[in-house]
Amino acid sequence: WDLEFTEIRPLDVDLDEELTARGEHFLNLHKCILKYAGLQQSNIWAYLGENNVPVKSLVAALSFFVLTGKNKKAKVEQRLNSLHAASLYLLLLGMPGSIANKVFHEILFDTCLDLSSHCWPENSGKKRKKDGSKSSKADGKRSRPQRKDLTDEGEEEEEEIHLSGSDLMKIRDALFLLLQSLLKLLQTLSLKDRPQSLSNCTRVFTHNLLYFEPVIGEIEFAPLKCVPEMAFYGLQLLCSPKHGDPKESLRRVFHQLLYVILMMSKGNRKKPTLLVVNQAILSTRDQTISFVSYLVEELKELAVPFLHILLQHICVQMVEKSEFRSHGAQAVSMLTSEMTNTDYSRFIRWLLNFSRHPKMACRLFAVDVAVALLGEPERKPEECQDPGLAPFLQHKLLIQSLLFSGQMDESPTVQGHALSSLAKCLEIPSMNVTQAIHNLFNESKSGVCTQISKANLALLFRRVKDSRTSVRKSALQALMGLLKHDVIPASSENLFVLSERCRDPAVSVRKKTLQCMGELLTANPLNIAVQKAWLHGVVPVVLDSENTVQDRALEALEQMLLHPITSYSSRSHQDTFQRLAWDLLVLLCQDCKNLCNYLGKAFSIWSKQNKFTPSFITNLISHTEAEHASGAWLLLSKVGSFSARPSLEKIVDAWDRMISSREINVTVCCHILCVIGNIAAHLNEDTKERMIDDLMSRLKRFDMSLEVISAAVDTLFQLGRDEDIKQTQVCRRCDKNMIFFFFFYSCFLVGKRTVLLVESVLTTNTDKLKVVYCQVITISLDCKCQTISRMFSHCVANHGLLMLFPGKLCLQHEELVQKYLPVFARELEVGTEMAVRNNVVIVMCDLCVRYTAIVDHYVPNISACLRDSEAVIREQALIMLTNLLQEEFVKWKGSLFFRFMVALVDPEPAIASLCKYCLLHLLLKKNPDMFSQHFIECIFHLNCYDKHKSYKFPQSER
């Protein structure tokens, strides 16, 4: 008593040995006191006095064992004796007359409460504490002294003795007995005059005992089966009027439970630390929320103000980490369900103000809370007692004022989170939520909200093109949700905004767009506009520079185009995804033919992965006579060159039908020709001869389109190829007109096989080569040859295309360059057709790369096109000259620099902007001094001053 129970004074050796020799002394005494307390008119203190047992000596003896158990090195027997002694002490405190006999001592009482943490090994608790500190370290909130303290704690932990499973069970049972005594005490003894003991008791219940062991099933208060249930029951007892003002008790208990809900550990530190989130922590949090709801239900109006305070503290003290925010929002949603409509509307009003908090973490959490509350059933405004608060019950207020308005936040993190949350709300199965989002982007029945809806959609489109990557990703998710749930129409304009992000500069945005396009197509598999948008977005990405993006595009194409294909049956159309696959393939043959060029890379990669099995090819061939045959031929044309020998009968039959038909589907015809070329090695000689004769006869009729001619030439090359180029079937069968025909088309259909074929034809017919040259040049320079005009009237629209032909010849024959360069230059000056001048610029710039010294004299003629009357030619000349300057095929000399200066003020803003970009971002890096070197010359030239001795530049109207 003299030491105030802060230090241990050893007992007499004989007494110590006698008491510790038989550990059941404390349990026997505990049973006797309980039995004696049950007797009527019993007085334990009088009984002790009659047997000469001083109360102070008894308490002192019990305190010895209690304090011994606090030592980290204490043995199992010492810990058990400590817990039993503490239980006995608390039992004596609950006896009538304990206050009069001065049994209560505040320090000893608090020591008994803390035994739950001292006697039970804290390995798991320490580990959780350390991990929590690490998370705080990541936030930059820990200091060096705290790290030192943790090191000391770790050293003490290493010195703690090892306890077996049976030892732990004994300690757990002793602790359970201690708690039973404590709960009996709280039912009889009032602590309202001892605020420190009340606080300690509340702290022990919340921070030590709630996490002690898991609760199986739902929490119950009768009977008490586990330690956490006893802790919750103890907290309920502390809120009774016996222990002081219930309002103060509720405030104290809710304050301690706040950190359990936030999944934090307060301890003795000023700032709480985050706990490592696991199933045990989440379970304790859920039980705590249920207990708070139980208290509110029991105490009703008394607890509601403190529930408001608790909710506000949860919001204010929430950290920025998404996992904690998510669980915190769920907690707020669960707790608000216990509120009346009036109290709930007051909280929503506070939440709207809270959403404008200066701290970003608070604004983020406000969005999370709004999403969680939208998942609950909407409350009826007419049931609110205060009409002024009724609007706060409607879900549309949360959507408009919290979620949609959040995208205008100053922080990009909040903007992105608000947009992604808006998309999540569309997945909530609530008509009120869906209707509220519809009202944001669709006009009302009266048409009043048309302008507002358009402005809201325009704002979302701006966020899709935002400069911040995170905002763009979230805006894409929101846009996909609106399209997926038909909030906005799946028009080509709206879909283009989404699909064009597949070419976003940021890799993460491109990946997100691919994901969104896939989800949208899966949700609307039969929507043609969505199918087209998916193709335009995903197919070109197979050539993406980033391998991970390319892999995702390949995976999406394989999932949609290859996997659903099975053998043809009359019920194939009933399978949604198989029907989708054929719809996509048919679109690639019709409206999206230009995308087929990208598929070569995909099929090359798939072939290396052995995707094209014989059964897959057989399944494809079974569809060649179906309504979607064009799609099947497309796949066969791409797959054929990478797969094993397919079944030839159906393919040859399709060839015969195509050749005998008068009306030819250009796309299907090209694909069949491609397939024939792929299988040429597997055909017998008779079939090859027949196919070559058929193709040559059709080519001599000159009635096929350019696409079919190109495919036919490729097929001829495959059918008639031979190791000796002169023995190639086509070479042996060409007359003069056919030589000209192949040579002419090679200039427009520049495929590798076509060029090889033309070369083989020309080298085999050298005596006719000069005649062909003369005919070609004559046509190029004088498009009045009636025979040739009739021959190619269906494929050559104007003189401009023919100007490319002599240019290609000049690239291969240097002697032609000297002869026809003056003709090209003259065409630039006096030519009247835009296409001719445009193509001449291209030809002369290409020749400048091959014959730099020869074309250098004509660079002023090319640069003069920067003042051409046609904007297309000015832009083409600007781009071509910039490329030549970058590669140093052209130098800054003559009037070239001045031409660029004039282009800076081009009447077309787009050309002026392009010229500025070329000068500042492309050419200035190559020549940093170009502006200073030409500054004085520009002053004389642009002012038309020609009287200076050195700075004289000839000028013309152009």
Side-chain angles (χ1 to χ4, degrees):
W1 286 87
D2 297 336
L3 297 176
E4 295 291 338
F5 301 104
T6 57
E7 296 181 14
I8 302 176
R9 183 170 292 176
L11 293 177
D12 183 71
V13 178
D14 296 335
L15 179 60
D16 188 10
E17 292 179 356
E18 182 181 355
L19 291 174
T20 56
R22 299 179 62 190
E24 64 272 12
H25 282 319
F26 291 106
L27 291 177
N28 293 335
L29 184 56
H30 190 279
K31 294 177 181 178
C32 292
I33 294 177
L34 279 178
K35 183 178 180 180
Y36 191 81
L39 299 176
Q40 295 181 356
Q41 298 179 352
S42 60
N43 189 339
I44 188 66
W45 313 112
Y47 180 78
L48 291 175
E50 292 172 359
N51 289 274
N52 298 321
V53 179
V55 175
K56 282 193 172 184
S57 299
L58 177 60
V59 173
L62 293 175
S63 69
F64 169 78
F65 292 100
V66 170
L67 296 173
T68 302
K70 291 179 61 178
N71 194 339
K72 292 284 184 182
K73 299 180 182 180
K75 299 178 181 179
V76 177
E77 293 77 9
Q78 292 175 321
R79 296 180 187 224
L80 291 174
N81 290 335
S82 177
L83 291 170
H84 290 153
S87 177
L88 194 56
Y89 174 69
L90 295 179
L91 190 60
L92 289 173
L93 280 179
M95 294 294 176
S98 61
I99 301 299
N101 286 276
K102 300 180 180 179
V103 177
F104 184 86
H105 192 283
E106 192 168 5
I107 295 177
L108 182 57
F109 178 75
D110 293 342
T111 303
C112 293
L113 294 178
D114 288 331
L115 284 181
S116 60
S117 59
H118 293 303
C119 294
W120 186 260
E122 297 186 12
N123 292 335
S124 58
K126 288 291 183 183
K127 184 177 181 180
R128 182 171 64 247
K129 196 173 184 181
K130 285 185 177 181
D131 292 341
S133 300
K134 287 180 182 178
S135 65
S136 298
K137 180 180 179 181
D139 296 335
K141 297 181 180 180
R142 290 188 54 210
S143 59
R144 291 184 180 179
Q146 289 177 330
R147 288 199 294 271
K148 184 177 179 182
D149 293 342
L150 283 176
T151 304
D152 295 339
E153 289 174 1
E155 293 174 355
E156 292 178 6
E157 181 185 348
E158 292 176 359
E159 296 176 358
E160 191 174 342
I161 65 172
H162 174 72
L163 299 176
S164 65
S166 59
D167 294 336
L168 292 175
M169 285 301 299
K170 292 177 182 179
I171 295 175
R172 189 264 179 196
D173 293 339
L175 180 59
F176 194 86
L177 185 63
L178 172 63
L179 290 177
Q180 286 181 333
S181 301
L182 177 58
L183 295 180
K184 288 180 179 295
L185 173 64
L186 293 177
Q187 294 175 17
T188 57
L189 180 65
S190 174
L191 297 178
K192 62 181 179 181
D193 296 328
R194 299 174 176 85
Q196 185 64 37
S197 297
L198 271 175
S199 297
N200 288 337
C201 195
T202 306
R203 176 184 56 80
V204 169
F205 280 139
T206 54
H207 292 285
N208 296 347
L209 301 178
L210 290 184
Y211 301 103
F212 186 81
E213 61 185 3
V215 178
I216 300 175
E218 296 183 359
I219 184 172
E220 297 178 357
F221 296 140
L224 302 175
K225 304 182 296 295
C226 59
V227 172
E229 288 183 351
M230 300 179 78
F232 282 124
Y233 183 62
L235 291 173
Q236 183 184 3
L237 292 175
L238 291 177
C239 294
S240 63
K242 179 186 285 293
H243 298 289
D245 185 4
K247 293 183 179 180
E248 184 64 24
S249 300
L250 277 171
R251 185 200 63 77
R252 186 188 306 109
V253 170
F254 279 15
H255 180 259
Q256 293 296 332
L257 293 177
L258 167 68
Y259 298 103
V260 181
I261 297 174
L262 292 173
M263 296 183 291
M264 296 179 178
S265 176
K266 186 68 161 56
N268 296 323
R269 295 188 179 93
K270 293 182 179 179
K271 290 186 177 181
T273 57
L274 300 179
L275 298 175
V276 177
V277 179
N278 52 40
Q279 190 57 43
I281 298 297
L282 292 175
S283 178
T284 303
R285 181 202 71 119
D286 294 339
Q287 293 158 14
T288 303
I289 295 172
S290 299
F291 174 69
V292 172
S293 301
Y294 171 77
L295 283 182
V296 174
E297 185 178 356
E298 289 291 320
L299 301 177
K300 299 189 184 304
E301 296 182 359
L302 182 64
V304 169
F306 298 99
L307 179 59
H308 273 282
I309 297 173
L310 176 63
L311 290 171
Q312 292 172 7
H313 275 275
I314 291 174
C315 295
V316 173
Q317 298 193 38
M318 181 54 61
V319 295
E320 191 176 340
K321 292 187 176 182
S322 59
E323 183 179 18
F324 286 82
R325 293 201 324 265
S326 176
H327 292 302
Q330 292 176 7
V332 172
S333 176
M334 294 168 68
L335 291 173
T336 52
S337 63
E338 300 298 326
M339 290 181 164
T340 62
N341 288 345
T342 303
D343 294 325
Y344 176 82
S345 58
R346 288 196 181 103
F347 172 74
I348 297 299
R349 182 176 61 183
W350 177 88
L351 183 65
L352 292 176
N353 294 327
F354 175 73
S355 64
R356 295 184 284 272
H357 197 281
K359 288 178 61 177
M360 183 190 69
C362 294
R363 301 197 299 274
L364 279 175
F365 187 62
V367 174
D368 288 316
V369 172
V371 175
L373 294 177
L374 288 171
E376 299 294 327
E378 187 176 55
R379 305 191 181 209
K380 297 180 180 180
E382 55 271 16
E383 295 179 1
C384 184
Q385 297 178 355
D386 188 348
L389 296 173
F392 293 98
L393 297 177
Q394 299 179 357
H395 280 167
K396 68 177 183 181
L397 182 68
L398 292 174
I399 293 174
Q400 295 175 358
S401 302
L402 262 174
L403 297 185
F404 191 76
S405 299
Q407 63 173 309
M408 292 179 281
D409 194 275
E410 61 183 10
S411 169
T413 305
V414 179
Q415 290 179 8
H417 188 53
L419 287 167
S420 59
S421 299
L422 186 66
K424 290 179 183 177
C425 290
L426 288 167
E427 305 296 335
I428 297 175
S430 171
M431 288 300 298
N432 293 325
V433 173
T434 305
Q435 185 60 43
I437 297 177
H438 269 274
N439 293 338
L440 281 173
F441 299 99
N442 293 312
E443 60 181 273
S444 64
K445 294 181 180 179
S446 60
V448 176
C449 300
T450 304
Q451 296 301 324
I452 298 177
S453 302
K454 290 181 179 179
N456 290 341
L457 189 58
L459 177 60
L460 179 60
F461 286 168
R462 287 200 299 273
R463 291 290 173 255
V464 171
K465 300 178 181 179
D466 196 272
S467 59
R468 279 76 57 97
T469 301
S470 59
V471 177
R472 294 203 300 276
K473 289 170 61 178
S474 300
L476 285 171
Q477 184 179 352
L479 179 59
M480 184 274 295
L482 296 178
L483 291 167
K484 177 180 176 181
H485 294 276
D486 297 325
V487 177
I488 59 176
S491 62
S492 56
E493 295 81 5
N494 294 340
L495 290 168
F496 175 75
V497 175
L498 181 63
S499 63
E500 72 169 343
R501 289 297 103 193
C502 287
R503 287 163 286 282
D504 193 274
V507 173
S508 60
V509 177
R510 298 203 295 274
K511 290 181 180 179
K512 184 66 177 179
T513 308
L514 290 175
Q515 176 190 339
C516 291
M517 293 297 297
E519 290 183 21
L520 184 59
L521 182 62
T522 304
N524 301 276
L526 303 181
N527 189 313
I528 297 178
V530 175
Q531 293 173 0
K532 289 181 180 180
W534 186 85
L535 288 172
H536 283 288
V538 176
V539 174
V541 183
V542 298
L543 299 180
D544 196 276
S545 58
E546 178 64 33
N547 289 335
T548 55
V549 180
Q550 187 182 113
D551 291 342
R552 289 202 180 186
L554 289 170
E555 182 182 353
L557 286 170
E558 180 183 352
Q559 189 72 27
M560 294 297 178
L561 298 183
L562 302 186
H563 284 180
I565 293 178
T566 58
S567 181
Y568 177 77
S569 68
S570 58
R571 297 182 179 180
S572 297
H573 68 280
Q574 296 179 0
D575 185 347
T576 302
F577 287 99
Q578 186 169 174
R579 182 178 174 184
L580 170 61
W582 291 117
D583 287 347
L584 293 173
L585 290 169
V586 170
L587 283 174
L588 285 171
C589 298
Q590 297 175 358
D591 298 341
C592 305
K593 288 191 293 186
N594 58 320
L595 297 176
C596 291
N597 298 327
Y598 297 100
L599 293 178
K601 175 68 175 296
F603 282 90
S604 175
I605 295 174
W606 288 334
S607 67
K608 297 175 183 178
Q609 300 170 353
N610 299 320
K611 300 288 185 183
F612 309 132
T613 61
S615 61
F616 178 78
I617 302 299
T618 303
N619 291 338
L620 275 182
I621 294 176
S622 68
H623 289 269
T624 53
E625 297 180 5
E627 294 180 357
H628 48 263
S630 59
W633 284 114
L634 168 63
L635 277 185
L636 282 172
S637 67
K638 299 294 182 182
V639 170
S641 58
F642 301 113
S643 60
R645 175 179 176 176
S647 176
L648 303 180
E649 291 77 9
K650 286 193 174 183
I651 297 177
V652 174
D653 291 343
W655 164 268
D656 294 335
R657 288 195 301 272
M658 180 191 74
I659 287 296
S660 60
S661 175
R662 293 185 178 182
E663 295 182 0
I664 298 178
N665 185 307
V666 173
T667 304
V668 176
C669 181
C670 291
H671 293 154
I672 293 177
L673 286 168
C674 183
V675 173
I676 294 295
N678 290 333
I679 66 172
H682 305 295
L683 296 172
N684 57 49
E685 292 300 324
D686 293 339
T687 305
K688 286 184 181 180
E689 288 284 345
R690 180 167 59 85
M691 289 183 174
I692 291 174
D693 291 338
D694 292 339
L695 277 179
M696 292 297 289
S697 63
R698 291 300 296 265
L699 286 173
K700 289 178 181 179
R701 287 158 55 183
F702 302 104
D703 61 352
M704 294 190 296
S705 64
L706 286 175
E707 294 89 343
V708 177
I709 293 173
S710 176
V713 171
D714 283 346
T715 305
L716 280 173
F717 177 80
Q718 293 292 344
L719 289 171
R721 65 187 306 173
D722 194 278
E723 292 183 2
D724 183 2
I725 192 70
K726 294 185 179 181
Q727 297 303 316
T728 301
Q729 293 287 337
V730 182
C731 299
R732 292 190 282 108
R733 301 187 183 196
C734 280
D735 56 14
K736 178 180 175 181
N737 290 332
M738 287 303 296
I739 294 173
F740 173 78
F741 173 81
F742 285 130
F743 196 31
F744 178 81
Y745 273 103
S746 71
C747 297
F748 303 101
L749 312 171
V750 195
K752 182 178 179 181
R753 294 174 181 174
T754 309
V755 173
L756 290 175
L757 179 60
V758 171
E759 288 180 353
S760 67
V761 171
L762 294 179
T763 53
T764 310
N765 299 271
T766 53
D767 56 329
K768 304 172 185 176
L769 182 59
K770 292 182 180 180
V771 179
V772 173
Y773 272 162
C774 294
Q775 288 181 344
V776 168
I777 298 303
T778 302
I779 296 172
S780 301
L781 301 180
D782 183 9
C783 194
K784 297 181 180 179
C785 178
Q786 297 299 321
T787 303
I788 301 300
S789 297
R790 268 197 313 273
M791 186 181 299
F792 301 108
S793 60
H794 65 282
C795 55
V796 181
N798 53 47
H799 193 183
L801 282 176
L802 290 174
M803 291 306 295
L804 295 175
F805 188 49
K808 292 181 180 293
L809 292 176
C810 291
L811 285 173
Q812 299 176 8
H813 303 280
E814 186 175 354
E815 65 272 11
L816 295 178
V817 178
Q818 298 282 6
K819 184 177 181 179
Y820 292 109
L821 262 180
V823 179
F824 292 151
R826 181 176 178 276
E827 192 67 31
L828 286 179
E829 293 182 5
V830 301
T832 57
E833 294 187 25
M834 179 194 68
V836 173
R837 299 200 305 276
N838 186 63
N839 288 344
V840 168
V841 170
I842 297 174
V843 168
M844 294 187 72
C845 289
D846 287 345
L847 293 175
C848 186
V849 176
R850 184 73 180 270
Y851 311 107
T852 306
I854 299 175
V855 184
D856 185 66
H857 178 70
Y858 295 96
V859 171
N861 300 81
I862 301 174
S863 64
C865 293
L866 293 174
R867 295 295 306 277
D868 196 277
S869 59
E870 298 290 341
V872 174
I873 298 177
R874 298 200 300 272
E875 182 180 7
Q876 185 75 265
L878 177 61
I879 295 173
M880 300 294 287
L881 286 170
T882 300
N883 291 334
L884 293 174
L885 286 166
Q886 280 186 292
E887 300 296 330
E888 296 187 352
F889 291 111
V890 172
K891 303 291 185 181
W892 288 113
K893 59 182 181 181
S895 60
L896 181 58
F897 187 82
F898 313 135
R899 297 290 190 185
F900 270 79
M901 291 297 102
V902 174
L904 285 173
V905 291
D906 192 276
E908 286 289 335
I911 298 177
S913 176
L914 176 62
C915 182
K916 182 178 179 181
Y917 171 79
C918 292
L919 287 170
L920 296 180
H921 298 281
L922 300 178
L923 300 175
L924 187 61
K925 296 178 181 178
K926 197 75 176 178
N927 188 359
D929 300 327
M930 67 176 185
F931 288 116
S932 58
Q933 289 174 350
H934 297 88
F935 179 71
I936 298 177
E937 300 174 3
C938 282
I939 294 177
F940 284 95
H941 179 80
L942 298 177
N943 287 280
C944 300
Y945 187 79
D946 56 357
K947 297 181 181 180
H948 196 276
K949 295 180 180 180
S950 302
Y951 300 106
K952 288 186 177 181
F953 309 99
Q955 299 194 27
S956 64
E957 293 182 0
R958 296 186 68 189

